[in-house]
Amino acid sequence: MRIPCPLCGPRDRREFFYYGSEDYLNRPVGDDPAAWDAYLHLRDNPAGETRDLWYHEMGCASWLLVTRNTVTHAVLDARLVAAGGEGGASGGDILAKMKSGGAA
Amino acid sequence: MRYSGLKVISEGLFGNRGWKPAWRDPAPKPAYDAIIIGGGGHGLATAYYLAKNHGLTNIAVLEKGYLGSGNIGRNTTIVRANYLLQGNSEFYSHSMKLWEGLSADLNFNVMHSQRGLINLFHSDGQRDAFARRGNMMISQGDDAELLDREGVRSYLPYLDFEQTRFPIYGGLLHRRGGTARHDAVAWGYARAADRRGVDLIQNCEVTGIDIAGGRVTGVQTTRGPIRAAKVGMVVAGRSGQVAAMAGLRLPIESHVLQAFVTEGLKPVIDHVISFGMGHFYISQSDKGGLVFGGDLDFYASYASRGNLPMVEHVMEAGMTLMPMIGRAKVLRSWGGIMDMTPDGSPIIDRTPVEGLFVDAGWNYGGFKAVPASGWCMAHLMATGQPHAVAARFRLDRFATGHLLDEEGTGSQHNLH
């Protein structure tokens, strides 16, 4: 399994630390115990496409939001959390460029 | 048909023509008193104890594939009762006692082999932790012996005691620990439940859970709707998907755990050995294969297979501990889908939906728990109250802070 880091390019899974579901980005405001329980513990746990947080521990030390398929282990995209996830730089773009023969 | 030595001899004399299928293959009825979703070890054990202990026989087990096609056939078959925390220790102690009478109770040889389990330690601090664990096991009524290095050497002379990184200081010996034949556990419970009138329905996938007024009323399946006032979800790694049919989110993330088996060898490893520093454990099956595994791959997965970094790590750990196995050829590897809870302990509890029960979150320890899990889930479904030895396996313990964090690593999905 290789993860396309937007800064470093596609790198071996061993360089990354898995943190968990993207739910961790939705930190509750306030002190409602049910909201904190949902944030910390309850998970959709999808069989199929999922988005989760990985830390490029042995690379650029970026936090990445990785789109993966949990059934096939296909890695579909990786974006910088710091760049706002959705609108940020995409490792998927790097992958597409490499596949089409362009420079990464 | 009751199995016995006499039956084996008489069938052998007359061409083995008298054997009958071990269980029926019934079509689903429109309604049952209770339904168990999942025909694996835990589900079949639940059905058996519902019938045997509570007299409920108008019940069905619904299995989407064939009986025992999930994690009960995809594990490393280890049976032990060496837990530290109250809440876990009495449960696994109860399970061990059931294991010890299981073949006779089921009239089916589950090949339970109490060959002894040795957990190695590699530092003074780890020795203290294991001594404490051993004392907890003894105070629970189970067995534990602390071995020094020479004690370990007398049992396991082939280990590399002088590894530079993790020299072996000793081990905790749990003599009643061992292994059992995993498929036979599923088959034994299935046959015993069937003999008490339980309908085991295969190729019947649950596609929806019917709820009216906050109460469960039945399930939708690929073989039509089935009504029941009580439904138990006992589906191991798929707990999240089944619970979602009832509108529930569980404190569970599914991860993959790999295991490996070599070609058959002559008897060489008599015990179950675990090497905590290298995340490696090994035993030898009755067929001769070395069965071993390591840690989780540590990311959410339903792939039933892992990735190569963990394969490499497990092989390295094995070679560090016992270089003699280096010439053995690995025949196959596989991955089981582990439903991981944040604290690494299971859930046997009611749900917010009346009549709907959940038995889940077995992490990587579900096999040894099969008898007690079935026993306690049956008690819960029949009486509505948790069994005393499973009372702390609550669904809401993460919200209330009553964790059962056996490893002491924290309440987070990626840490167990």
Side-chain angles (χ1 to χ4, degrees):
Chain A
M1 197 156 88
R2 286 158 81 79
I3 294 175
C5 174
L7 300 182
C8 311
R11 310 292 293 189
D12 189 281
R13 174 261 177 277
R14 271 171 278 213
E15 294 186 5
F16 298 86
F17 169 77
Y18 169 81
Y19 191 71
S21 160
E22 68 171 331
D23 294 3
Y24 282 123
L25 293 178
N26 305 317
R27 193 180 171 89
V29 179
D31 54 7
D32 174 21
W36 280 93
D37 182 38
Y39 165 69
L40 290 168
H41 306 124
L42 304 183
R43 293 293 174 258
D44 290 337
N45 196 21
E49 203 164 296
T50 187
R51 291 211 302 180
D52 37 34
L53 293 170
W54 296 69
Y55 177 56
H56 199 177
E57 189 174 27
M58 289 189 273
C60 60
S62 298
W63 281 97
L64 304 180
L65 188 59
V66 177
T67 307
R68 293 188 303 130
N69 188 310
T70 56
V71 177
T72 64
H73 285 166
V75 178
L76 306 170
D77 194 22
R79 288 164 186 271
L80 292 176
V81 172
E86 207 61 66
S90 167
D93 298 341
I94 298 174
L95 276 186
K97 270 187 197 163
M98 288 185 72
K99 279 178 187 158
S100 66
Chain B
M1 181 198 299
R2 201 180 152 72
Y3 294 159
S4 67
L6 190 65
K7 181 77 184 157
V8 170
I9 292 167
S10 63
E11 282 299 325
L13 288 174
F14 298 103
N16 285 307
R17 284 188 291 269
W19 298 113
K20 302 271 192 309
W23 51 81
R24 299 166 293 131
D25 187 20
K29 293 195 280 187
Y32 290 94
D33 292 339
I35 285 172
I36 292 143
I37 306 172
H42 292 251
L44 293 166
T46 301
Y48 172 65
Y49 292 119
L50 271 173
K52 184 188 177 211
N53 295 353
H54 304 281
L56 254 86
T57 54
N58 183 30
I59 59 179
V61 176
L62 309 182
E63 166 57 44
K64 76 171 175 180
Y66 58 89
L67 294 181
S69 55
N71 283 351
I72 187 74
R74 209 176 285 137
N75 56 72
T76 48
T77 78
I78 292 165
V79 175
R80 57 186 168 90
N82 60 348
Y83 279 69
L84 177 73
L85 295 182
Q86 244 181 26
N88 278 331
S89 67
E90 61 263 42
F91 176 83
Y92 290 102
S93 182
H94 183 61
S95 206
M96 179 63 89
K97 293 187 188 88
L98 293 174
W99 275 109
E100 287 170 337
L102 195 60
S103 291
D105 186 33
L106 299 179
N107 181 230
F108 199 97
N109 186 4
V110 299
M111 298 168 73
H112 182 217
S113 160
Q114 294 184 295
R115 57 187 64 185
L117 174 131
I118 298 175
N119 297 120
L120 302 172
F121 52 80
H122 309 269
S123 68
D124 291 331
Q126 218 181 7
R127 179 194 288 120
D128 292 347
F130 275 37
R132 177 169 176 238
R133 179 175 294 268
N135 286 335
M136 290 301 290
M137 290 157 67
I138 290 166
S139 71
Q140 176 60 43
D142 295 320
D143 71 286
E145 291 165 48
L146 200 67
L147 304 176
D148 61 11
R149 174 190 287 220
E150 293 314 307
V152 173
R153 205 190 292 274
S154 71
Y155 289 108
L156 314 173
Y158 45 78
L159 299 184
D160 183 356
F161 285 80
E162 306 298 338
Q163 320 145 31
T164 49
R165 184 66 183 89
F166 301 119
I168 295 167
Y169 277 44
L172 187 66
L173 170 62
H174 174 38
R175 288 188 191 275
R176 288 161 71 223
T179 62
R181 172 85 167 88
H182 52 356
D183 294 321
V185 176
W187 299 333
Y189 272 116
R191 175 171 165 273
D194 177 84
R195 290 176 81 199
R196 287 179 181 269
V198 175
D199 279 1
L200 308 176
I201 300 165
Q202 306 180 66
N203 301 310
C204 180
E205 182 172 356
V206 170
T207 55
I209 295 176
D210 298 330
I211 298 165
R215 282 198 63 94
V216 72
T217 58
V219 295
Q220 300 291 322
T221 79
T222 50
R223 297 176 70 174
I226 307 173
R227 293 194 310 281
K230 290 181 179 177
V231 175
M233 302 183 287
V234 194
V235 294
R238 293 282 171 172
S239 299
Q241 273 87 60
V242 175
M245 294 176 194
L248 303 173
R249 287 177 96 210
L250 297 180
I252 284 176
E253 193 174 271
S254 295
H255 284 239
V256 61
L257 178 69
Q258 301 192 68
F260 309 84
V261 65
T262 69
E263 60 194 336
L265 305 170
K266 293 207 171 169
V268 59
I269 294 174
D270 300 328
H271 305 80
V272 180
I273 305 164
S274 87
F275 172 36
M277 297 311 288
H279 308 295
F280 177 82
Y281 61 98
I282 188 166
S283 64
Q284 188 167 17
S285 78
D286 292 330
K287 222 159 57 175
L290 304 181
V291 182
F292 57 98
D295 227 331
L296 293 175
D297 271 33
F298 279 112
Y299 46 84
S301 168
Y302 286 88
S304 295
R305 63 175 176 78
N307 266 306
L308 290 172
M310 189 51 70
V311 176
E312 188 178 24
H313 177 76
V314 170
M315 301 298 163
E316 279 176 1
M319 288 301 290
T320 303
L321 183 67
M322 43 175 80
M324 72 168 185
I325 65 174
R327 301 287 291 276
K329 292 183 178 64
V330 174
L331 274 191
R332 60 182 179 275
S333 68
W334 64 94
I337 304 171
M338 313 284 109
D339 42 344
M340 304 300 297
T341 58
D343 65 357
S345 292
I347 296 161
I348 302 178
D349 204 354
R350 292 165 291 228
T351 69
V353 179
E354 192 71 28
L356 183 66
F357 304 88
V358 61
D359 178 310
W362 290 98
N363 301 281
Y364 26 64
F367 181 70
K368 63 184 167 294
V370 162
S373 169
W375 185 282
C376 296
M377 182 64 170
H379 184 276
L380 177 70
M381 288 183 69
T383 67
Q385 297 300 318
H387 189 279
V389 301
R392 297 192 191 201
F393 294 163
R394 293 175 63 105
L395 181 58
D396 67 357
R397 69 174 181 273
F398 307 99
T400 61
H402 293 83
L403 302 174
L404 283 167
D405 183 2
E406 185 79 21
E407 288 186 358
T409 48
S411 176
Q412 196 170 298
H413 286 289
N414 65 337
L415 295 181
H416 290 272

